[in-house]
Amino acid sequence: MGKREEREKDEGGVSQRMKVGAAGPIFTMDDLDCSICCHPMRPPIFQCQYTVGHTICSSCHDKLPGKCCFCSLPTVYNRCNWLEYVVESLKVACPNGCTASIKYYQKEEHEKECSHAPCFCPIANCGFSGPTAMLLEHFSSKHNLRSLEVPYSEWFGIYMHVNVDPPTSATALVGQDGHIFLVCMKLESSGGVIKVCCVQPHNTGIKFKCALALSCTKTGYSQATKFQTRNTNLYDGLPDDGFPFLVPKVLLPAAALERALVFFWSLLDIHPIAC
């Protein structure tokens, strides 16, 4: 048999194998999940000695007696080397668009920590979502939201202003490490309520403490407080459960409700704290 005939024979054999595979798939992505807990498997992976398909993860293997929970036969679970090779080799793309190369079984872990995970615009009827840097640009270009770069662990002053309709507004603060904070003030019957939140895609454990203070020389009134900021990706809008800092109504301008904006000067300090 010549080399050409051998090549045609080999190509025919490959073609036949591909047709068989196309007619009846023998492997799906579901095979990469544990048959018991349904979580993505990672080495070590174990397989029932009597079957081809009953594979389980190491966590479930340690909890099972010496019997297969599928075929109900006494068995020994052996390492499934070929499937371990597959899950180690298979890479998936990050759904957030970052360039990380992710192993199949690490996809969920990556999504929980990915810095490109989206935050959301809390403005009503705005469907924007994107990384925090894009969100800050969106605030400025689409909603004319003010943003200020601020230092940590230093007092600084900001003007708070509130629209009468709707009776709320916000200022974005950008920390020296890039973290974004929203300072919101809302008019209520008792006065102006200020809340501060840290905008980040995940509750990573990085927390900040905020200090707020105000004083009025005319009335002699002053108050100050410290609290831990709430972390949020703004998916549900501006959070309602943050620590409220009340500016009594008596301190607001008498004509506040007759004007488009209310301005109030306050002092603010933000600094990281150990988790």
Side-chain angles (χ1 to χ4, degrees), residues 16-229:
Q16 290 299 319
R17 289 194 295 271
M18 292 176 62
K19 289 180 180 179
V20 171
I26 60 173
F27 181 79
T28 68
M29 294 296 284
D30 290 339
D31 294 319
L32 302 181
D33 295 339
C34 176
S35 302
I36 297 177
C37 66
C38 297
H39 291 158
M41 289 188 291
R42 65 187 67 202
I45 300 173
F46 296 90
Q47 181 179 28
C48 171
Q49 65 178 347
Y50 293 110
T51 67
V52 175
H54 297 166
T55 53
I56 59 175
C57 67
S58 59
S59 178
C60 291
H61 171 265
D62 295 338
K63 300 174 184 178
L64 290 176
K67 183 173 69 172
C68 178
C69 60
F70 296 98
C71 58
S72 299
L73 295 174
T75 188
V76 174
Y77 277 98
N78 299 314
R79 290 283 294 272
C80 187
N81 296 320
W82 73 270
L83 193 54
E84 290 182 5
Y85 174 79
V86 169
V87 298
E88 285 288 357
S89 303
L90 184 62
K91 301 295 183 9
V92 295
C94 173
N96 300 319
C98 78
T99 58
S101 179
I102 313 165
K103 292 182 180 180
Y104 170 78
Y105 58 83
Q106 294 176 333
K107 180 174 179 290
E108 292 184 3
E109 297 170 8
H110 172 82
E111 290 178 0
K112 293 177 181 179
E113 300 176 356
C114 179
S115 60
H116 287 71
C119 290
F120 302 83
C121 180
I123 306 300
N125 301 319
C126 181
F128 175 85
S129 65
T132 51
M134 293 178 59
L135 181 65
L136 188 65
E137 172 63 25
H138 171 80
F139 282 156
S140 175
S141 62
K142 298 299 182 181
H143 303 295
N144 295 319
L145 193 71
R146 298 180 305 157
S147 62
L148 302 172
E149 294 185 3
V150 296
Y152 288 143
S153 303
E154 293 183 19
W155 286 98
F156 54 89
I158 59 172
Y159 279 106
M160 302 300 301
H161 63 89
V162 181
N163 297 319
V164 172
D165 185 24
T168 187
S169 188
T171 297
L173 306 178
V174 184
Q176 56 203 50
D177 57 358
H179 277 89
I180 298 176
F181 304 85
L182 281 185
V183 185
C184 309
M185 185 172 179
K186 182 178 181 181
L187 283 180
E188 297 185 356
S189 58
S190 55
V193 177
I194 299 176
K195 293 183 180 180
V196 183
C197 64
C198 179
V199 182
Q200 53 181 291
H202 310 292
N203 190 0
T204 59
I206 300 176
K207 297 181 175 66
F208 295 84
K209 184 171 286 186
C210 175
L212 276 170
L214 65 88
S215 62
C216 179
T217 56
K218 184 177 180 180
T219 62
Y221 179 88
S222 65
Q223 66 169 316
T225 187
K226 294 181 180 180
F227 54 91
Q228 186 172 295
T229 61

